[in-house]
PDB file of all heavy atoms in Angstrom:
ATOM      1  N   ASP M 202      -6.035 -34.260  -3.306  1.00  0.00           N
ATOM      2  CA  ASP M 202      -5.888 -32.870  -2.826  1.00  0.00           C
ATOM      3  C   ASP M 202      -4.524 -32.684  -2.166  1.00  0.00           C
ATOM      4  O   ASP M 202      -3.824 -31.701  -2.420  1.00  0.00           O
ATOM      5  CB  ASP M 202      -6.966 -32.545  -1.775  1.00  0.00           C
ATOM      6  CG  ASP M 202      -8.328 -32.328  -2.403  1.00  0.00           C
ATOM      7  OD1 ASP M 202      -8.393 -32.299  -3.642  1.00  0.00           O
ATOM      8  OD2 ASP M 202      -9.312 -32.188  -1.656  1.00  0.00           O
ATOM      9  N   GLU M 215      11.954 -18.466  -2.255  1.00  0.00           N
ATOM     10  CA  GLU M 215      12.277 -17.042  -2.220  1.00  0.00           C
ATOM     11  C   GLU M 215      12.730 -16.606  -3.618  1.00  0.00           C
ATOM     12  O   GLU M 215      13.634 -17.208  -4.194  1.00  0.00           O
ATOM     13  CB  GLU M 215      13.386 -16.770  -1.197  1.00  0.00           C
ATOM     14  CG  GLU M 215      13.614 -15.287  -1.018  1.00  0.00           C
ATOM     15  CD  GLU M 215      14.679 -14.959   0.001  1.00  0.00           C
ATOM     16  OE1 GLU M 215      15.530 -15.827   0.280  1.00  0.00           O
ATOM     17  OE2 GLU M 215      14.654 -13.826   0.500  1.00  0.00           O
ATOM     18  N   LEU M 219      13.489 -10.255  -7.047  1.00  0.00           N
ATOM     19  CA  LEU M 219      12.754  -9.051  -6.645  1.00  0.00           C
ATOM     20  C   LEU M 219      13.564  -8.133  -5.738  1.00  0.00           C
ATOM     21  O   LEU M 219      13.139  -7.009  -5.462  1.00  0.00           O
ATOM     22  CB  LEU M 219      11.442  -9.443  -5.956  1.00  0.00           C
ATOM     23  CG  LEU M 219      10.347  -9.935  -6.904  1.00  0.00           C
ATOM     24  CD1 LEU M 219       9.274 -10.682  -6.155  1.00  0.00           C
ATOM     25  CD2 LEU M 219       9.717  -8.782  -7.672  1.00  0.00           C
ATOM     26  N   SER M 223      21.457  -2.294  -6.533  1.00  0.00           N
ATOM     27  CA  SER M 223      21.962  -1.083  -5.862  1.00  0.00           C
ATOM     28  C   SER M 223      22.708  -0.196  -6.862  1.00  0.00           C
ATOM     29  O   SER M 223      23.279  -0.688  -7.846  1.00  0.00           O
ATOM     30  CB  SER M 223      22.870  -1.474  -4.707  1.00  0.00           C
ATOM     31  OG  SER M 223      23.877  -2.325  -5.166  1.00  0.00           O
ATOM     32  N   ILE M 225      24.912   3.889  -7.290  1.00  0.00           N
ATOM     33  CA  ILE M 225      25.527   4.983  -6.539  1.00  0.00           C
ATOM     34  C   ILE M 225      24.702   6.242  -6.812  1.00  0.00           C
ATOM     35  O   ILE M 225      24.232   6.451  -7.930  1.00  0.00           O
ATOM     36  CB  ILE M 225      27.018   5.215  -6.899  1.00  0.00           C
ATOM     37  CG1 ILE M 225      27.222   5.392  -8.395  1.00  0.00           C
ATOM     38  CG2 ILE M 225      27.894   4.106  -6.369  1.00  0.00           C
ATOM     39  CD1 ILE M 225      28.568   6.005  -8.731  1.00  0.00           C
TER      40      ILE M 225
ATOM     41  N   TYR X  93      21.460  -3.485 -16.213  1.00  0.00           N
ATOM     42  CA  TYR X  93      22.320  -3.378 -15.037  1.00  0.00           C
ATOM     43  C   TYR X  93      23.782  -3.675 -15.389  1.00  0.00           C
ATOM     44  O   TYR X  93      24.697  -3.056 -14.855  1.00  0.00           O
ATOM     45  CB  TYR X  93      21.822  -4.319 -13.928  1.00  0.00           C
ATOM     46  CG  TYR X  93      22.422  -3.983 -12.579  1.00  0.00           C
ATOM     47  CD1 TYR X  93      22.150  -2.762 -11.962  1.00  0.00           C
ATOM     48  CD2 TYR X  93      23.265  -4.866 -11.921  1.00  0.00           C
ATOM     49  CE1 TYR X  93      22.709  -2.435 -10.734  1.00  0.00           C
ATOM     50  CE2 TYR X  93      23.827  -4.553 -10.692  1.00  0.00           C
ATOM     51  CZ  TYR X  93      23.543  -3.328 -10.100  1.00  0.00           C
ATOM     52  OH  TYR X  93      24.103  -3.001  -8.885  1.00  0.00           O
ATOM     53  N   TYR X 140      13.731  -2.444 -13.634  1.00  0.00           N
ATOM     54  CA  TYR X 140      13.380  -3.094 -12.362  1.00  0.00           C
ATOM     55  C   TYR X 140      11.915  -2.809 -12.015  1.00  0.00           C
ATOM     56  O   TYR X 140      11.168  -3.730 -11.661  1.00  0.00           O
ATOM     57  CB  TYR X 140      14.309  -2.616 -11.242  1.00  0.00           C
ATOM     58  CG  TYR X 140      13.922  -3.154  -9.879  1.00  0.00           C
ATOM     59  CD1 TYR X 140      14.086  -4.509  -9.577  1.00  0.00           C
ATOM     60  CD2 TYR X 140      13.349  -2.329  -8.905  1.00  0.00           C
ATOM     61  CE1 TYR X 140      13.708  -5.013  -8.348  1.00  0.00           C
ATOM     62  CE2 TYR X 140      12.973  -2.829  -7.677  1.00  0.00           C
ATOM     63  CZ  TYR X 140      13.150  -4.173  -7.402  1.00  0.00           C
ATOM     64  OH  TYR X 140      12.767  -4.674  -6.183  1.00  0.00           O
ATOM     65  N   LYS X 211       7.419  -8.715  -3.159  1.00  0.00           N
ATOM     66  CA  LYS X 211       8.032 -10.006  -2.805  1.00  0.00           C
ATOM     67  C   LYS X 211       7.306 -10.601  -1.586  1.00  0.00           C
ATOM     68  O   LYS X 211       6.868 -11.760  -1.616  1.00  0.00           O
ATOM     69  CB  LYS X 211       9.513  -9.779  -2.503  1.00  0.00           C
ATOM     70  CG  LYS X 211      10.304 -11.010  -2.195  1.00  0.00           C
ATOM     71  CD  LYS X 211      11.798 -10.655  -2.152  1.00  0.00           C
ATOM     72  CE  LYS X 211      12.643 -11.825  -1.738  1.00  0.00           C
ATOM     73  NZ  LYS X 211      12.704 -11.991  -0.293  1.00  0.00           N
ATOM     74  N   LYS X 232     -12.595 -32.122   5.224  1.00  0.00           N
ATOM     75  CA  LYS X 232     -12.985 -33.350   4.511  1.00  0.00           C
ATOM     76  C   LYS X 232     -12.641 -34.587   5.352  1.00  0.00           C
ATOM     77  O   LYS X 232     -13.416 -35.548   5.401  1.00  0.00           O
ATOM     78  CB  LYS X 232     -12.247 -33.424   3.171  1.00  0.00           C
ATOM     79  CG  LYS X 232     -12.833 -32.521   2.101  1.00  0.00           C
ATOM     80  CD  LYS X 232     -12.083 -32.687   0.810  1.00  0.00           C
ATOM     81  CE  LYS X 232     -12.571 -31.715  -0.257  1.00  0.00           C
ATOM     82  NZ  LYS X 232     -11.766 -31.783  -1.472  1.00  0.00           N
TER      83      LYS X 232
END
Side-chain angles (χ1 to χ4, degrees):
Chain M
D202 285 353
E215 187 179 22
L219 285 163
S223 54
I225 53 164
Chain X
Y93 196 64
Y140 175 70
K211 183 170 175 277
K232 283 182 185 175

